[in-house]
């Protein structure tokens, strides 16, 4: 009887802790894929300087998180478009950073997940190596 009282809370902690670790790993995977999807959208739309590529990229990333995790996200995911990085005569790069917290199965454990992805703008290049519009 004493062993049952002593070991039952430890078994519950081990069981719920392993579920929480699994949720955190899945959330990390979702954050990476959401940042990649947002960066992909940014790379596609940043070539046209008349459009707001930042809005398109961040809404794509937050939509990806909400679609895959749904109510497991505490609050709303925070996505930020990273400023274009002109690299001299090289190709400009744009990207997205995503951050959110997931619900906890174990009390007093909070997991905040963050990821970012950056890539070159997809466009046709002039002879001097600059992207049209940059």
């Amino acid at each position: 009887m004493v062993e049952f009282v002593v070991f039952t809370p430890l078994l519950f902690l081990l069981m719920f802790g392993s579920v929480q670790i699994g949720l955190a790993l899945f959330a990390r995977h979702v954050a990476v894929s959401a940042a990649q999807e947002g960066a992909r959208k940014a790379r596609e739309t940043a070539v046209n300087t008349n459009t707001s590529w930042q809005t398109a990229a961040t809404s794509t990333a937050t939509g990806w998180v909400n679609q895959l995790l749904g109510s497991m996200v505490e609050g709303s995911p925070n996505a930020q478009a990273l400023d274009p990085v002109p690299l001299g005569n090289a190709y400009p790069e744009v990207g997205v950073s995503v951050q959110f917290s997931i619900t906890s199965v174990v009390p007093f454990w909070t997991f905040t997940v963050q990821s970012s992805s950056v890539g070159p703008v997809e466009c046709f290049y002039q002879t001097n190596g600059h992207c049209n519009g940059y």
Side-chain angles (χ1 to χ4, degrees):
M1 190 74 146
V2 173
E3 292 89 3
F4 180 75
V5 170
V6 171
F7 289 117
T8 301
L10 294 175
L11 289 175
F12 277 125
L13 182 63
L14 181 65
M15 183 173 61
F16 288 122
S18 63
V19 169
Q20 184 67 50
I21 296 295
L23 288 174
L25 291 174
F26 178 64
R28 171 72 179 146
H29 177 72
V30 169
V32 168
S33 62
Q36 289 173 346
E37 281 297 316
R40 186 174 296 123
K41 188 65 161 181
R43 292 171 55 204
E44 292 172 357
T45 56
V47 66
N48 187 358
T49 56
N50 296 332
T51 62
S52 176
W53 64 268
Q54 293 93 342
T55 305
T58 56
S59 65
T60 299
T62 55
W64 193 261
V65 171
N66 289 329
Q67 181 183 9
L68 292 176
L69 289 177
S71 62
M72 287 182 9
V73 177
E74 290 183 351
S76 62
N78 181 18
Q80 277 188 304
L82 302 175
D83 291 331
V85 179
L87 301 172
N89 287 334
Y91 311 123
E93 293 185 342
V94 292
V96 173
S97 176
V98 178
Q99 180 179 0
F100 58 90
S101 297
I102 61 170
T103 58
S104 179
V105 177
V106 179
F108 309 113
W109 279 16
T110 57
F111 286 97
T112 301
V113 183
Q114 179 179 0
S115 182
S116 60
S117 180
V118 177
V121 174
E122 296 177 2
C123 64
F124 295 105
Y125 295 96
Q126 299 173 350
T127 56
N128 62 3
H130 287 281
C131 183
N132 292 334
Y134 280 92

